[in-house]
Amino acid sequence: MSSEVAIVGSVLLLIMVLGLVVLVRTRRQVTTPTERAVHMALHTASLAARSLRTGLSEDSAREALPHLRTLTSAEAVALFDDEPRRLAHDPDDDAIWDPDMLREADRAAASATGDQRRVLMSDPCGAESPVRALIAQPLVASEVNLGVLVVATTRRPGPGMLGAVAEVARYVSSQIELAELDASRARLDRAEVLALRAQISPHFIYNALNTIASFVRTDPDRARELVLDFADFTRYSFRASGEYTVLADELRNIDRYLTLERARFGNSLDVRLHVAPEVLNVVVPFLALQPLVENAVRHGLASKGGGTIKITAADEGTDCVITVEDDGVGMDPELLRSGALDALDHSDGAHVGLTNVDHRLRAAFGNDYGLVVETAVGAGTKVGMRVPKFRAGIRAQKPVRRVSSESPPDVAGGSDL
């Protein structure tokens, strides 16, 4: 009896194993040939996009062409810029791209560039050549010529192939256009940083130099330290590269600025700093805090003859929240509702770049990351920003520091500067 039970158990186990094998094989064959073809086409297009999103150049064309040849199902392809100048061709051997065929491809690209329409050349090098047709498809975006895609085929192209070449060219055009938009945005960011540097208050520079001069006779050592702080402040503010920095470096520069202002205001200017240590390496736009702090000093406290500024940086999950608050004169909230941050920027003829900072925050991190201003007449002003602790593609550029500088202030707590 026990042997029969063992045999039945073995049979059941075998049936279960066979069932699992059939199930696994069935799952592996769920995708249809059409689905696999679509998946491969999308994957190939993504590989081509990696190169094209850097812009149209000899290197990017050389890297993208093998993938474009796969997408067009052609024997050979070539890419031209808007001049048109041949950037690269694929494959590299001369089985198809012999000197005569390259010359005909150049001619087809020139014709397509001039008319911004497809050029089809049948038997471009005669019956002796294996190439039956050259298709020159312009790369156009917003009615602007970006280049030409030339396809060589050993068969007579039908409507299907012509349509495929047109779609591939449209895809290439969109990727090049996106690359140019990225480059334009980068140039705009650099221009805004330059504009922000130009907006550093000349009043602050004038007052800082006057303050330093007042210590030259009475306290030469203090004057020397203030000169070094002023030199470090300007060196950081006018550094040549990098649209981003880390919060620790921004705070270090704010410390220099406030050291110079406290030399002018004396004990009437109280600064309180509370920063969570874990956010010191958060990446922020370069000179993002300077306008906020300068606005607090100049517009909030200067007319009162002094007051308190509180700078806070807190860790809130995936974000870092930074606020600059003063107990100064404040302003009418209706001015903010009607003119947003421009009201702060242009009050008293000053330009401290709050609108600039708000725009750069939104451009870098999205519309959820602009400046938030809370104020009322006689109740001071609080300006806050929310920055993601990590964002792909955004990295800080480390500044060059003076070797003899003191260590940065202890920001891991509620210390006063």
Side-chain angles (χ1 to χ4, degrees):
M1 187 67 179
S2 59
S3 61
E4 292 177 356
V5 173
I7 293 173
V8 172
S10 301
V11 171
L12 290 175
L13 179 61
L14 179 60
I15 292 174
M16 291 177 61
V17 172
L18 290 175
L20 288 173
V21 171
V22 171
L23 180 61
V24 170
R25 289 184 176 179
T26 302
R27 288 184 175 177
R28 288 180 178 174
Q29 296 174 359
V30 166
T31 57
T32 66
T34 300
E35 290 172 337
R36 288 196 295 271
V38 170
H39 173 77
M40 288 303 300
L42 292 174
H43 178 65
T44 304
S46 69
L47 293 176
R50 293 179 185 176
S51 302
L52 296 172
R53 283 299 300 274
T54 63
L56 191 56
S57 64
E58 292 183 2
D59 291 337
S60 65
R62 191 178 303 110
E63 293 174 2
L65 278 177
H67 308 300
L68 300 181
R69 181 157 63 95
T70 300
L71 290 174
T72 58
S73 300
E75 284 71 29
V77 289
L79 267 176
F80 293 75
D81 61 16
D82 57 346
E83 294 184 5
R85 178 176 61 95
R86 187 177 355 105
L87 300 174
H89 57 272
D90 184 80
D92 290 331
D93 58 65
D94 57 0
I96 291 180
W97 293 124
D98 58 28
D100 292 338
M101 191 59 65
L102 288 174
R103 184 165 54 250
E104 292 302 315
D106 293 346
R107 188 162 67 90
S111 300
T113 300
D115 298 335
Q116 283 194 3
R117 62 177 61 184
R118 182 173 61 210
V119 173
L120 177 60
M121 299 175 61
S122 299
D123 297 320
C125 292
E128 298 81 9
S129 172
V131 176
R132 297 278 68 84
L134 280 177
I135 307 167
Q137 187 74 40
L139 307 176
V140 180
S142 302
E143 300 183 356
V144 176
N145 183 66
L146 304 176
V148 182
L149 172 66
V150 175
V151 174
T153 175
T154 58
R155 58 191 184 278
R156 300 294 179 185
M161 184 174 191
L162 293 176
V165 172
E167 289 301 324
V168 170
R170 188 175 295 112
Y171 175 75
V172 172
S173 301
S174 66
Q175 296 303 313
I176 297 172
E177 185 179 27
L178 288 173
E180 293 188 352
L181 288 174
D182 288 343
S184 297
R185 187 175 67 177
R187 288 193 293 269
L188 179 61
D189 288 344
R190 287 193 292 271
E192 288 180 336
V193 171
L194 293 175
L196 191 58
R197 288 168 177 157
Q199 291 174 0
I200 290 177
S201 172
H203 296 284
F204 163 70
I205 297 175
Y206 175 79
N207 290 332
L209 292 176
N210 269 345
T211 301
I212 294 170
S214 68
F215 284 104
V216 168
R217 287 183 177 273
T218 59
D219 193 345
D221 291 337
R222 179 85 181 277
R224 177 181 178 278
E225 287 303 312
L226 291 175
V227 167
L228 293 176
D229 284 327
F230 182 75
D232 284 345
F233 172 82
T234 54
R235 182 185 297 112
Y236 178 87
S237 300
F238 293 95
R239 74 183 194 185
S241 62
E243 285 92 35
Y244 299 95
T245 187
V246 294
L247 179 59
D249 289 333
E250 281 288 288
L251 292 173
R252 187 176 284 106
N253 200 51
I254 293 301
D255 181 36
R256 300 179 189 117
Y257 169 80
L258 291 172
T259 297
L260 292 162
E261 290 288 31
R262 289 191 68 176
R264 180 164 69 100
F265 284 97
N267 294 330
S268 61
L269 178 59
D270 183 26
V271 180
R272 298 178 182 179
L273 189 67
H274 188 84
V275 178
E278 57 268 25
V279 300
L280 288 174
N281 286 324
V282 169
V283 177
V284 296
F286 178 60
L287 290 182
L289 292 185
Q290 170 65 27
L292 278 60
V293 176
E294 184 171 348
N295 184 77
V297 173
R298 295 189 57 206
H299 304 294
L301 304 181
S303 59
K304 288 180 56 178
T308 300
I309 294 177
K310 292 193 293 185
I311 303 173
T312 304
D315 183 357
E316 292 196 5
T318 59
D319 293 338
C320 167
V321 177
I322 306 167
T323 60
V324 177
E325 184 176 3
D326 67 76
D327 60 357
V329 296
M331 65 177 298
D332 186 353
E334 291 298 325
L335 293 178
L336 290 177
R337 296 189 183 98
S338 60
L341 297 173
D342 285 331
L344 288 176
D345 275 357
H346 297 285
S347 58
D348 298 333
H351 297 273
V352 292
L354 290 184
T355 301
N356 188 312
V357 173
D358 181 70
H359 174 75
R360 291 168 63 213
L361 285 169
R362 295 177 188 272
F365 307 121
N367 286 330
D368 294 335
Y369 293 95
L371 291 181
V372 177
V373 181
E374 301 174 24
T375 187
V377 176
T381 301
K382 181 179 180 180
V383 182
M385 68 171 73
R386 181 178 293 271
V387 179
K389 289 196 288 189
F390 173 78
R391 182 58 57 93
I394 295 180
R395 297 181 180 179
Q397 175 71 35
K398 281 289 188 180
V400 177
R401 299 192 183 96
R402 173 165 53 97
V403 175
S404 60
S405 295
E406 299 87 348
S407 301
D410 181 11
V411 296
S415 58
D416 293 346
L417 292 182

